[in-house]
Amino acid sequence: MSSNERPSIPPLFLDRMSRFLGEEFPAFLSALEEEPVGGLRVNTLKLSMEEFQKISPFPLGSSVPWAPSAFVLPPSLPSTGNHPYHLAGLYYLQDPSAMSAATLLDPKPGDRVLDLAAAPGGKTTHLAALMQGRGLLVANEIKDKRVGHLAMNVERWGAGNVVVTNETPERLADHFGPYFDRVLVDAPCSGEGMFRKDMGARLDWSPEMVTGCAVRQQNILRLAAKLVRPGGWLLYSTCTFAPEEDEEVIIGLLEEFPGYTVAPLPYHPGFMRGQPDWMERKHDHRRAETLTGAVRLFPHRLRGEGHFVCALRRMVEKASLQERQPQGPWRASGMVEMDRGQVKLWEAFLQDMLAVDFPESRLRVRGDRLYFTPEEIPEFGNFRVVHPGVWFGNFKKERFEPAHPLALFLRKGQAKRTLPLAADGNELARYLRGETLLSDGPAGWTLITVAGWPLGWGKRVQGVMKNHYPRGWQVYS
Ligand code: SAM
């Protein structure tokens, strides 16, 4: 293989797929030769589809049938991820097939939802939008190295109902028990559905990897099952086609937890039903047949890369258990109410700077930081809570200083002092690189906006706008 040649698709994988797909295999094989399909999901917490269509800097393709807030993107668009609208959290880039999971879990505003394997946050941001910022969404990521990226994507999205944790599924299950209305397990997998866009996935794949992933998935799903309240929902998804990691994992759960049943998913054109016949091991026929309620997404059948999604319902064992678990007060990691001095500083900032109010019941302090927390917050014990809500800012001796996530949480028109910059202008590029700008106008904190959408903070002092765009977010292009 020369340096600019793509690694070939593992022949053993192709043999397996040819056995599974039969006469559909040639179409699958030729789809694997095509370019991957990209998707753009609009942040409906910030603007509507119609509003986005009016300002979209890119041509948008057809809408995604199973994700009403998303569009398919035409191939080879340059730097969609560095556009200021992306930095303002107006959209998320995601494989259209991956958008099926959040829509099929169908969370409602006010639900308690857990996204157990959440980084980098594709499904979390989608769930948050579907919940309209209401209720509680716990986004968990086990890997220290990946959780920062997740928190950043959540902050950019500007959702007020998300808590990001960095925990193991074991600790979550031990601590919470059957607390959540809906749990998503978007499991780590062998990534066969990534073969068109991630050459590393082609190189890493082996039959042993499939077997190893299946064991890990079974363990994660077993723990996730303990976190769902009776009457609640568990959604399992992967971006792989291997039945060992898909149908076999589900049937393993059904055998171990008879309180769960497969809930048949809505069927969109191009979806394939779950395939009990692809499993190698023999299982109870009636139970195996319920797996047809799952769905499989393939690149030769629709515009997307590939996914497996299965919804499970936890049956209600006793009428009394149908009720939600009661919750204790909010004491996580030393979060407390503002003291009187802090209330004064916050109110002074609010009056000077913002044209919006926030319920004090949702404002909590940790150290010198002020957070806007979800409507309902459980006791997190000694968990690693990376993002306990939207970080609004810090209390200094005599003043309150706003933080970057507050800027991204604000909507159009909610700040009294703004500096609007043109999306394609030189000044905006300089702001995003962290440079100061010359700018006449009233002194003090100023919200930098693009097309009216908040991007970050600046502080004007004697005609100079000091740059408060955080170093880790800066863009050099
Ligand atoms: N849901 C994410 C999204 O849509 O952006 C993608 C999640 S990715 C497919 C799977 C995640 O599971 C990874 O972030 C990985 O670090 C995490 N993971 C790996 N091992 C795990 C384990 N034993 N328990 C829980 N999560 C694990």
Side-chain angles (χ1 to χ4, degrees):
M1 184 183 72
S2 75
S3 59
N4 53 7
E5 242 180 84
R6 296 166 140 217
S8 52
I9 295 180
L12 264 178
F13 161 77
L14 293 176
D15 283 353
R16 280 163 52 90
M17 292 312 292
S18 149
R19 252 189 302 123
F20 296 142
L21 286 170
E23 57 187 28
E24 281 194 35
F25 179 69
F28 174 69
L29 191 58
S30 82
L32 288 182
E33 296 304 319
E34 290 166 16
E35 285 302 306
V37 176
L40 179 153
R41 188 162 41 71
V42 176
N43 184 353
T44 51
L45 293 172
K46 298 195 177 191
L47 76 177
S48 67
M49 294 279 284
E50 293 72 31
E51 279 176 281
F52 186 78
Q53 274 174 301
K54 279 187 203 144
I55 63 165
S56 176
F58 324 111
L60 300 170
S62 55
S63 57
V64 177
W66 51 90
S69 59
F71 299 97
V72 173
L73 286 174
S76 318
L77 283 180
S79 56
T80 35
N82 273 348
H83 193 279
Y85 292 169
H86 186 248
L87 304 173
L90 301 193
Y91 61 85
Y92 193 96
L93 298 167
Q94 191 178 29
D95 155 25
S97 75
M99 298 175 190
S100 54
T103 342
L104 293 173
L105 182 58
D106 194 23
K108 306 285 185 249
D111 273 352
R112 296 170 182 162
V113 179
L114 171 65
D115 184 355
L116 187 57
K123 283 155 191 138
T124 299
T125 52
H126 197 177
L127 292 169
L130 294 171
M131 294 169 77
Q132 298 169 22
R134 307 267 321 276
L136 170 72
L137 172 55
V138 177
N140 181 69
E141 170 55 42
I142 192 171
K143 293 196 177 157
D144 302 3
K145 280 199 182 137
R146 289 171 62 87
V147 76
H149 195 192
L150 168 64
M152 205 161 160
N153 279 330
V154 165
E155 281 162 5
R156 188 184 293 129
W157 205 241
N161 64 339
V162 186
V163 170
V164 177
T165 57
N166 179 206
E167 283 298 338
T168 63
E170 285 86 349
R171 270 172 51 95
L172 289 166
D174 282 351
H175 178 78
F176 281 110
Y179 174 70
F180 293 95
D181 298 307
R182 291 166 211 260
V183 173
L184 170 63
V185 176
D186 185 33
C189 68
S190 60
E192 295 168 354
M194 307 290 279
F195 281 175
R196 292 202 299 196
K197 60 185 216 184
D198 178 1
M199 296 307 116
R202 296 184 181 191
L203 291 169
D204 291 345
W205 188 91
S206 69
E208 294 72 33
M209 185 192 196
V210 169
T211 317
C213 284
V215 172
R216 181 161 58 163
Q217 289 149 350
Q218 199 88 61
N219 287 335
I220 299 173
L221 196 60
R222 181 181 294 132
L223 293 161
K226 298 180 179 167
L227 285 153
V228 179
R229 73 162 166 84
W233 302 85
L234 175 57
L235 194 111
Y236 177 78
S237 63
T238 71
C239 60
T240 206
F241 308 117
E244 295 88 333
E245 300 180 57
D246 295 338
E247 286 86 352
E248 293 270 14
V249 171
I250 301 295
I251 203 135
L253 185 95
L254 296 176
E255 285 167 0
E256 191 176 337
F257 291 83
Y260 275 93
T261 51
V262 171
L265 285 170
Y267 190 78
H268 289 276
F271 280 16
M272 183 191 279
R273 301 258 179 230
Q275 296 294 317
D277 295 346
W278 291 6
M279 295 189 292
E280 218 160 80
R281 288 189 294 135
K282 285 277 157 273
H283 301 273
D284 173 76
H285 179 71
R286 278 186 32 207
R287 188 178 280 143
E289 272 312 296
T290 67
L291 292 169
T292 54
V295 293
R296 289 178 155 275
L297 284 70
F298 280 94
H300 64 289
R301 291 174 143 248
L302 43 75
R303 312 229 43 214
E305 297 309 289
H307 243 66
F308 171 86
V309 186
C310 183
L312 297 145
R313 182 102 203 246
R314 181 169 184 179
M315 285 181 278
V316 179
E317 290 118 29
K318 284 193 211 146
S320 60
L321 284 180
Q322 202 168 3
E323 284 161 23
R324 289 165 146 213
Q325 293 277 102
Q327 269 310 298
W330 168 247
R331 294 194 300 270
S333 319
M335 303 227 23
V336 294
E337 289 181 10
M338 285 186 279
D339 65 30
R340 277 173 51 197
Q342 290 168 331
V343 170
K344 266 192 175 166
L345 295 178
W346 165 243
E347 281 182 351
F349 174 80
L350 201 61
Q351 203 169 14
D352 175 47
M353 190 61 218
L354 302 184
V356 57
D357 207 355
F358 301 100
E360 219 175 290
S361 58
R362 293 180 64 180
L363 295 172
R364 288 288 182 277
V365 178
R366 186 167 79 173
D368 65 350
R369 288 184 172 199
L370 180 67
Y371 288 95
F372 181 75
T373 59
E375 282 170 342
E376 183 194 291
I377 29 187
E379 168 60 73
F380 278 99
N382 61 357
F383 275 16
R384 284 191 284 189
V385 180
V386 177
H387 167 109
V390 184
W391 177 25
F392 267 17
N394 288 27
F395 291 107
K396 304 281 177 179
K397 243 187 184 155
E398 298 291 330
R399 62 186 197 281
F400 176 80
E401 271 197 3
H404 190 57
L406 169 60
L408 294 168
F409 183 61
L410 293 173
R411 307 300 190 240
K412 258 183 167 178
Q414 291 185 337
K416 290 184 184 163
R417 265 191 313 279
T418 60
L419 176 63
L421 298 178
D424 52 0
N426 190 31
E427 290 236 292
L428 184 66
R430 289 184 52 211
Y431 175 71
L432 295 175
R433 285 199 295 265
E435 295 173 23
T436 51
L437 307 175
L438 292 178
S439 164
D440 286 330
W445 288 107
T446 306
L447 193 65
I448 313 297
T449 63
V450 57
W453 295 102
L455 259 182
W457 295 106
K459 194 172 184 185
R460 196 186 274 119
V461 182
Q462 295 175 346
V464 174
M465 188 67 76
K466 291 194 177 166
N467 196 313
H468 285 260
Y469 200 65
R471 203 175 281 271
W473 295 66
Q474 289 167 10
V475 178
Y476 296 84
S477 56

